[in-house]
Amino acid sequence: MFFQIIDILGTIAFAISGALVAMSKRMDPFGVLIIAFVTAVGGGTLRDVMVGIEPVSWMKNMTFVYVIIGSAVFAVVFRKRISYLRKSLFLFDTIGISLYTVIGIETGLIAGLHPLICIALGTMTACFGGVIRDILCNEIPVIFRKEIYATACILGGLTYFLLLHFFEDRNYLFVIVAVVVITVRLIAVRYKISLPSLYKKEELE
Amino acid sequence: MFFQIIDILGTIAFAISGALVAMSKRMDPFGVLIIAFVTAVGGGTLRDVMVGIEPVSWMKNMTFVYVIIGSAVFAVVFRKRISYLRKSLFLFDTIGISLYTVIGIETGLIAGLHPLICIALGTMTACFGGVIRDILCNEIPVIFRKEIYATACILGGLTYFLLLHFFEDRNYLFVIVAVVVITVRLIAVRYKISLPSLYKKEELE
Amino acid sequence: MFFQIIDILGTIAFAISGALVAMSKRMDPFGVLIIAFVTAVGGGTLRDVMVGIEPVSWMKNMTFVYVIIGSAVFAVVFRKRISYLRKSLFLFDTIGISLYTVIGIETGLIAGLHPLICIALGTMTACFGGVIRDILCNEIPVIFRKEIYATACILGGLTYFLLLHFFEDRNYLFVIVAVVVITVRLIAVRYKISLPSLYKKEELE
């Protein structure tokens, strides 16, 4: 129940972030709806298809469809005020990737996959929606920017498997993972921390 | 039978449209063939993978493979004359998305999915081939342009479920959906109608 | 066994090529790892998903995961020296696409698919990882460049089915396919051969 509420909050955040990017690209209303949808379900779709959960999850749970449509409409109606919301949106987005990371890991565990695969699934679930949103909108894909994004998800996933033996209740562990992802991202953005890139321009050629 | 003929016409239209874009990007013959293929089967592939129909449909029906290869060869051989055909191509393309919309909806119905999911599947089937063609060819993706495109498919899909209770024969309904998609797109292009975008430049920051 | 060794060599080559491109785009270490991963498993993932092999192969065989992580770390550590390796990398990459072509064809044969579908699967397996790498890194996709790339895979695939009746042992045939792919690519690059593009600039409009 607790998880489902945050899952819905995450979906709302991703849908609104997609709608905002689409509107900033001057798409028409249906384009905005489509990008909101793709952003919110893209990661989970890739995960389900790779694991073999078909029809993919969101096709079987209308709650998310309604939440996405509602979020897109909300973003359109309140588009002038929403820039005041940018900070809470960033927070939602961060909660979103933290929760999507957890859901991805859980999907992998249920399918009996190796821990590293589970971490990869968590990271994909969290990041792929934003990547496909950016590709469709001709933005530089999110994982390609300076900000720590995928890195937070990977660190969260590693935390899960490092602490696995110290917890009996999986749910506690998932909360810790989510907190790690959120903390890493918030600290990274607050203090403008980014991992160093590995190549210097001069080293090329 | 009637449907299969239009399905093939749609495939031809998409394959030729892909080949034309690829040639305009100066791709070599095999590149042209690949883009023709991707444009024609991209939407159906995404739909089948998400629903769980695997191997995907076109892998089990060689008719479409031959039709696509033939269309690509045709487009290459008659590339100088084909610009006279642009109008009929636009028509074929429009017939194509109308029919692909119907096929996507039908696939969703057979899988027992919710009406809104079926509409999403129809729209994806119709539009995704063109989107992936444009991404591979470095064009602005088709749903991102001013033209009404996905919107026509969504309206067609809504029509299906609005009229569902008035028809006993699904096939009639599918014809109506196709006609709606075609009419909306033709009227939109003829009168240069496009939905208004929601953001004005000044509203952004 | 022989095949598995070359498969691993191919994976190494693709992972390193992905890591190199990502570093040249100044991505952070986790970005480099992600692109290395995507480049190495992208083609196989698309193939498995379309055929219905799920969870996809690399999720069930940790060897490849470790090989990819090791290759990415290797590429990062020796990034200054690796430019001396560019030629052997090109060779590895070429061996990679030749072997991935073979594996794609074999997957199609096992699934009982038509020869042309098998050739398409082989070409996708070989080329898609590079295409997705290039899209994520904002490079012009590899199949879109002048170099012969997909063409070599298609010719290799055609060779397989043309010679099918002259060989009893499939393995010999696969070696021949790999040799054809490698030879075509090496000759094409050595003598700067590329297929002519079909459109001249003036012909457009």
Side-chain angles (χ1 to χ4, degrees):
Chain A
M1 189 58 203
F2 170 69
F3 270 112
Q4 212 183 346
I5 288 169
I6 310 195
D7 193 3
I8 288 172
L9 286 178
T11 304
I12 292 172
F14 279 130
I16 293 181
S17 90
L20 284 177
V21 175
M23 283 190 284
S24 77
K25 294 287 174 178
R26 318 201 66 181
M27 288 192 178
D28 67 39
F30 282 106
V32 171
L33 180 62
I34 289 171
I35 300 295
F37 223 96
V38 166
T39 309
V41 305
T45 300
L46 181 67
R47 176 201 64 216
D48 287 350
V49 160
M50 288 175 75
V51 173
I53 300 167
E54 289 154 342
V56 296
S57 318
W58 63 268
M59 290 189 170
K60 292 174 289 192
N61 186 344
M62 291 308 292
T63 310
F64 292 98
V65 175
Y66 296 132
V67 164
I68 293 167
I69 294 174
S71 305
V73 170
F74 175 87
V76 165
V77 171
F78 294 101
R79 63 187 177 279
K80 283 178 189 170
R81 306 248 171 93
I82 219 159
S83 49
Y84 302 110
L85 293 173
R86 250 168 224 280
K87 268 193 189 153
S88 44
L89 267 179
F90 169 76
L91 204 67
F92 271 142
D93 182 60
T94 303
I95 294 172
I97 63 166
S98 76
L99 202 277
Y100 277 29
T101 303
V102 166
I103 294 174
I105 293 173
E106 214 187 358
T107 307
L109 290 171
I110 290 168
L113 297 169
H114 186 280
L116 287 177
I117 303 296
C118 295
I119 295 174
L121 281 173
T123 308
M124 282 192 307
T125 307
C127 300
F128 189 73
V131 168
I132 195 81
R133 172 198 66 207
D134 294 340
I135 290 176
L136 286 178
C137 292
N138 261 354
E139 294 270 324
I140 301 166
V142 79
I143 60 158
F144 182 50
R145 296 180 212 150
K146 284 280 151 56
E147 274 176 71
I148 281 187
Y149 197 83
T151 307
C153 305
I154 294 174
L155 292 177
L158 288 172
T159 306
Y160 179 88
F161 289 102
L162 288 175
L163 298 184
L164 191 57
H165 297 295
F166 304 104
F167 288 85
E168 285 215 357
D169 186 344
R170 224 186 234 182
N171 284 350
Y172 282 118
L173 207 40
F174 281 138
V175 173
I176 293 174
V177 169
V179 170
V180 167
V181 174
I182 291 172
T183 311
V184 169
R185 182 137 203 248
L186 289 186
I187 290 178
V189 169
R190 175 73 186 75
Y191 295 101
K192 304 213 166 133
I193 296 166
S194 65
L195 296 181
S197 67
L198 298 160
Y199 251 21
K200 298 209 185 72
K201 263 257 158 79
E202 314 83 72
E203 286 181 48
L204 300 165
E205 237 101 334
Chain B
M1 190 56 205
F2 169 69
F3 270 111
Q4 212 183 348
I5 288 170
I6 310 196
D7 193 2
I8 288 173
L9 286 178
T11 304
I12 292 173
F14 279 129
I16 293 181
S17 90
L20 283 176
V21 175
M23 282 190 285
S24 77
K25 293 288 173 175
R26 317 201 65 183
M27 288 192 178
D28 67 38
F30 281 106
V32 171
L33 180 61
I34 290 170
I35 299 295
F37 224 96
V38 166
T39 310
V41 305
T45 300
L46 181 67
R47 177 200 64 217
D48 287 351
V49 160
M50 288 174 77
V51 174
I53 300 167
E54 290 154 341
V56 297
S57 317
W58 62 267
M59 289 189 170
K60 292 174 288 192
N61 187 343
M62 292 308 292
T63 310
F64 291 98
V65 175
Y66 296 133
V67 163
I68 292 166
I69 295 175
S71 304
V73 170
F74 175 87
V76 165
V77 171
F78 294 101
R79 63 187 177 280
K80 283 179 190 170
R81 307 251 172 91
I82 219 160
S83 51
Y84 300 112
L85 292 173
R86 251 169 223 279
K87 267 193 189 155
S88 44
L89 267 179
F90 169 77
L91 204 66
F92 270 142
D93 183 59
T94 303
I95 294 172
I97 63 166
S98 77
L99 202 277
Y100 276 29
T101 303
V102 166
I103 293 174
I105 293 173
E106 215 188 358
T107 307
L109 290 172
I110 290 169
L113 298 169
H114 186 279
L116 286 176
I117 304 295
C118 295
I119 294 174
L121 281 172
T123 307
M124 282 192 308
T125 308
C127 300
F128 189 73
V131 169
I132 195 81
R133 171 198 67 207
D134 293 340
I135 290 175
L136 287 177
C137 292
N138 262 355
E139 294 269 324
I140 301 167
V142 80
I143 60 158
F144 183 51
R145 296 181 214 150
K146 285 280 152 55
E147 273 177 72
I148 280 186
Y149 197 83
T151 306
C153 305
I154 294 174
L155 292 177
L158 288 172
T159 306
Y160 179 88
F161 290 101
L162 288 176
L163 298 184
L164 193 55
H165 297 294
F166 304 104
F167 287 84
E168 284 214 359
D169 186 343
R170 222 185 235 185
N171 284 350
Y172 281 119
L173 207 40
F174 281 137
V175 173
I176 293 174
V177 169
V179 170
V180 167
V181 175
I182 293 172
T183 311
V184 169
R185 181 138 204 249
L186 288 186
I187 289 178
V189 169
R190 177 69 187 76
Y191 295 101
K192 305 210 166 138
I193 296 166
S194 64
L195 297 181
S197 65
L198 298 162
Y199 251 22
K200 294 205 188 76
K201 263 264 159 72
E202 314 84 71
E203 286 182 49
L204 300 166
E205 238 95 334
Chain C
M1 189 58 205
F2 169 69
F3 270 111
Q4 212 184 346
I5 288 169
I6 311 196
D7 194 1
I8 288 172
L9 286 178
T11 304
I12 292 172
F14 278 129
I16 293 181
S17 90
L20 284 176
V21 175
M23 283 190 283
S24 77
K25 293 288 175 177
R26 317 202 65 184
M27 287 193 179
D28 67 39
F30 282 107
V32 171
L33 181 62
I34 290 170
I35 300 294
F37 224 96
V38 166
T39 311
V41 306
T45 300
L46 181 67
R47 176 201 65 216
D48 287 352
V49 161
M50 289 174 76
V51 172
I53 300 167
E54 289 154 344
V56 297
S57 318
W58 63 268
M59 290 191 170
K60 291 174 291 191
N61 186 343
M62 291 308 292
T63 310
F64 290 99
V65 175
Y66 296 132
V67 163
I68 292 167
I69 294 174
S71 305
V73 170
F74 175 88
V76 165
V77 172
F78 294 101
R79 62 186 179 280
K80 284 180 188 169
R81 306 250 171 91
I82 220 160
S83 52
Y84 301 111
L85 291 174
R86 250 169 223 281
K87 266 190 189 158
S88 43
L89 268 180
F90 169 76
L91 204 66
F92 271 141
D93 183 59
T94 304
I95 294 174
I97 62 166
S98 76
L99 202 276
Y100 276 28
T101 303
V102 166
I103 293 174
I105 294 173
E106 215 187 357
T107 307
L109 290 171
I110 290 168
L113 299 168
H114 186 280
L116 286 177
I117 303 294
C118 296
I119 295 174
L121 281 172
T123 307
M124 282 190 309
T125 308
C127 300
F128 189 74
V131 168
I132 196 83
R133 173 197 64 209
D134 294 341
I135 290 175
L136 286 178
C137 292
N138 262 354
E139 295 269 324
I140 301 167
V142 78
I143 60 157
F144 183 49
R145 297 181 213 150
K146 284 281 151 55
E147 274 176 70
I148 279 186
Y149 197 83
T151 306
C153 305
I154 294 174
L155 292 178
L158 288 172
T159 306
Y160 179 88
F161 290 102
L162 288 175
L163 298 184
L164 191 56
H165 296 295
F166 303 104
F167 287 85
E168 287 215 355
D169 186 344
R170 224 184 233 183
N171 285 350
Y172 281 118
L173 206 41
F174 281 137
V175 173
I176 293 174
V177 169
V179 170
V180 167
V181 174
I182 292 171
T183 310
V184 169
R185 181 135 204 251
L186 288 185
I187 290 178
V189 169
R190 176 73 188 76
Y191 295 102
K192 305 210 165 136
I193 295 166
S194 64
L195 296 182
S197 65
L198 298 160
Y199 252 23
K200 295 205 188 78
K201 264 259 157 80
E202 313 84 73
E203 284 181 51
L204 299 165
E205 236 97 333

